[in-house]
Amino acid sequence: MGDVKNTLVVSVVSHGHGEMVQKLLYQLAALEESGLLRVVLTQNIKESLPDAPASGWPFIFEVRSNSTPKGFSANHNAALIGAEEDFLCLMNPDVDLLQNNPFPPLMRVLERPGVGLAYPLQIDDQGSLQDSEREVPTIFSLYQRYFCSRVESRPEWVNAAFWIVKREAWLRLCGLDARFFMYCEDVDFCLRLRLKGWKLARSNTVVRHQAHRDSHRKLKYTFWHVCALARLWSRPVFWRAKWKINQLSVDELIVQDK
């Protein structure tokens, strides 16, 4: 593949999201001057292969099918192992690019000194801004969020619906922590990234993503979420990062695209 600058690989994990994946792949295929060299689709459960456009895929397209479902972290780690591209993108199958090309502005902010992870703004189906940026979860902050309806104002971490990470940063952190099967892997990664001295950056580009919040409605997912939080809180890295983040002002927490 060679050492070409500003190259990109996208990892998408499908859990039976065939229709969404098809739409997203066609959107990716229609992009121009994005630096997109490769797309890795992981089918976590058995489903049909996506249909290629009539002209074929304009990028290297790899499909991996799991015999046994794996967690979010394990799937993306496996898809991105050995990646030679400069930038690694994690993208949910239900992301809609809204006929925009989000990659050039995201890669532009990633080139700023010290930035290890960049992300777009997320809106829902009604066009309202999603709360993809949140405070580090503690028992107290979660109580205030869910029982006191407090609106969080500190962007201390960002959900992993759409990330672009510098390869150097990804390798330094050894990717996501696969001990998090579902939930909190994105919190953990953002905290470890900050502890290593990297910054998060927000681009002004916009994508649509409808957060499902299954842990609010389904007991099984609630149980998984609670277990993930317990694991997160048991790690010394959580408390070291929380202390470091508490020393930063709101303006220092996120590098903003200008």
Side-chain angles (χ1 to χ4, degrees):
M1 189 169 295
D3 188 21
V4 180
K5 300 305 289 182
N6 294 341
T7 56
L8 176 72
V9 55
V10 172
S11 172
V12 180
V13 180
S14 176
H15 308 272
H17 297 102
E19 188 174 332
M20 293 180 180
V21 169
Q22 186 73 71
K23 177 182 177 181
L24 178 60
L25 289 173
Y26 279 178
Q27 289 182 334
L28 292 173
L31 300 179
E32 297 180 358
E33 299 182 2
S34 63
L36 178 56
L37 292 188
R38 189 163 57 102
V39 174
V40 183
L41 171 63
T42 302
Q43 295 181 324
N44 207 32
I45 62 175
K46 187 176 179 59
E47 57 183 309
S48 300
L49 293 176
D51 296 322
S55 57
W57 298 113
F59 40 71
I60 299 171
F61 182 50
E62 302 175 4
V63 179
R64 305 184 179 201
S65 299
N66 291 338
S67 56
T68 303
K70 298 178 181 179
F72 182 93
S73 299
N75 276 317
H76 282 297
N77 285 350
L80 297 173
I81 192 169
E84 298 179 9
E85 293 84 359
D86 298 283
F87 301 127
L88 284 57
C89 176
L90 283 65
M91 190 182 300
N92 280 12
D94 55 353
V95 165
D96 185 343
L97 302 184
L98 300 173
Q99 298 182 332
N100 297 320
N101 185 349
F103 296 122
L106 285 165
M107 290 191 284
R108 183 177 65 245
V109 295
L110 266 174
E111 291 174 341
R112 296 177 66 175
V115 174
L117 184 156
Y119 58 93
L121 297 169
Q122 298 176 27
I123 61 173
D124 61 19
D125 291 338
Q126 288 71 48
S128 299
L129 189 64
Q130 291 272 51
D131 59 342
S132 55
E133 303 168 321
R134 302 176 199 165
E135 296 177 7
V136 172
T138 63
I139 293 176
F140 181 64
S141 69
L142 290 175
Y143 175 83
Q144 288 186 308
R145 176 183 175 88
Y146 294 115
F147 295 97
C148 302
S149 300
R150 185 177 70 90
V151 178
E152 298 178 346
S153 59
R154 289 176 58 84
E156 298 175 345
W157 67 279
V158 61
N159 71 29
F162 191 149
W163 282 355
I164 298 187
V165 184
K166 278 182 179 173
R167 180 180 61 184
E168 179 187 353
W170 182 265
L171 293 177
R172 192 173 178 187
L173 270 66
C174 300
L176 297 165
D177 189 334
R179 289 173 292 185
F180 291 95
F181 179 81
M182 184 183 295
Y183 300 114
C184 295
E185 61 280 299
D186 41 12
V187 186
D188 173 76
F189 187 86
C190 290
L191 295 184
R192 290 190 290 122
L193 196 73
R194 290 189 185 279
L195 280 179
K196 291 294 185 180
W198 295 96
K199 301 174 184 176
L200 310 184
R202 178 201 304 128
S203 170
N204 291 327
T205 189
V206 178
V207 300
R208 182 160 55 215
H209 174 249
Q210 186 70 49
H212 297 293
R213 314 224 191 267
D214 285 331
S215 65
H216 296 189
R217 303 186 303 270
K218 302 177 182 179
L219 186 59
K220 177 176 66 173
Y221 290 90
T222 301
F223 175 75
W224 286 345
H225 202 169
V226 170
C227 289
L229 284 167
R231 177 179 292 279
L232 182 71
W233 293 333
S234 70
R235 295 161 57 86
V237 66
F238 173 85
W239 300 104
R240 292 201 305 271
K242 177 61 176 170
W243 181 87
K244 180 176 182 178
I245 288 172
N246 284 345
Q247 314 309 308
L248 301 176
S249 68
V250 172
D251 291 338
E252 293 173 317
L253 286 169
I254 296 291
V255 175
Q256 299 189 48
D257 193 7
K258 297 181 180 179

